[in-house]
Amino acid sequence: MSKNKWNITPHTEDVVFICQNSPDMPFYCHLCGISYCDGEYLISRENADIYCIEYIISGTGTVKTKGKTFYPKKGDVYMLMKGEDHLYYSDKKDPWTKIWFNISGVLADKLIRIYNPAGETLIENTQVYDDFSEFVEIAKDKSLVPEEIMNKCSLVFHRILIKLQRIKPKTEGE
């Protein structure tokens, strides 16, 4: 697999694509949405150029990154770091439904470094579904220009990180 190549299996998603990346934006959301996974859902990235943050609405699955394996389930959030390899897939019998966003930018870098300095992957039993939903709803708002969307989404992301920091992350993977 070449650098930043994504391997994705088919599934159903409601995806929001906002605009082309602008290098002068301190916070940038590439994509966000809701995935209704099936038992074949799988995504693999090598040396990812984004952060991928996902909230599990229902179901179970597997995340492999940094040589560890995690099993996110309903109510959990996983954070996949930029510059790392990402492999995640849904359970065949109890597949995920999840809400997510893929972000980058110097502001995202700094916020993650401040609120998740150890680069923890799995935070269990969170209460951030409404925040993730708000993020996606802002991204869908056609009355906003992309810069307004990014500014508003960055504030929601900051709020999510503050809430997640208060929860003890699962540091042990297999």
Side-chain angles (χ1 to χ4, degrees), residues 65-66 70 79-81 112-113 115-122:
T65 188
K66 297 183 256 190
F70 302 90
M79 298 178 65
L80 301 174
M81 299 298 144
I112 288 173
R113 203 172 5 225
Y115 289 99
N116 188 2
E120 300 298 346
T121 301
L122 181 61

Side-chain angles (χ1 to χ4, degrees), residues 41-87:
Y41 174 87
L42 176 136
I43 294 185
S44 175
R45 295 184 195 93
E46 190 174 292
N47 191 25
D49 59 352
I50 56 152
Y51 297 99
C52 178
I53 294 103
E54 307 202 353
Y55 174 88
I56 308 302
I57 298 169
S58 65
T60 60
T62 303
V63 172
K64 295 183 178 191
T65 188
K66 297 183 256 190
K68 295 182 179 180
T69 303
F70 302 90
Y71 302 97
K73 63 194 175 316
K74 180 180 178 176
D76 294 350
V77 169
Y78 61 87
M79 298 178 65
L80 301 174
M81 299 298 144
K82 186 171 77 170
E84 301 285 342
D85 295 344
H86 305 163
L87 172 65

Side-chain angles (χ1 to χ4, degrees), residues 1-15:
M1 182 175 6
S2 65
K3 182 179 177 190
N4 293 325
K5 180 172 169 109
W6 294 17
N7 289 329
I8 303 171
T9 57
H11 54 282
T12 305
E13 288 187 313
D14 293 330
V15 176

Side-chain angles (χ1 to χ4, degrees), residues 121-152:
T121 301
L122 181 61
I123 301 99
E124 295 180 307
N125 194 27
T126 69
Q127 302 295 319
V128 293
Y129 171 77
D130 291 341
D131 301 290
F132 273 75
S133 294
E134 181 181 353
F135 189 107
V136 172
E137 288 306 311
I138 291 167
K140 288 180 181 179
D141 189 341
K142 301 293 184 204
S143 71
L144 300 174
V145 297
E147 291 77 16
E148 291 174 300
I149 291 171
M150 299 309 163
N151 289 339
K152 288 176 180 258

Side-chain angles (χ1 to χ4, degrees), residues 18-35:
I18 301 159
C19 67
Q20 292 296 324
N21 192 1
S22 174
D24 58 339
M25 285 186 188
F27 181 89
Y28 183 75
C29 176
H30 300 261
L31 296 169
C32 63
I34 299 177
S35 297

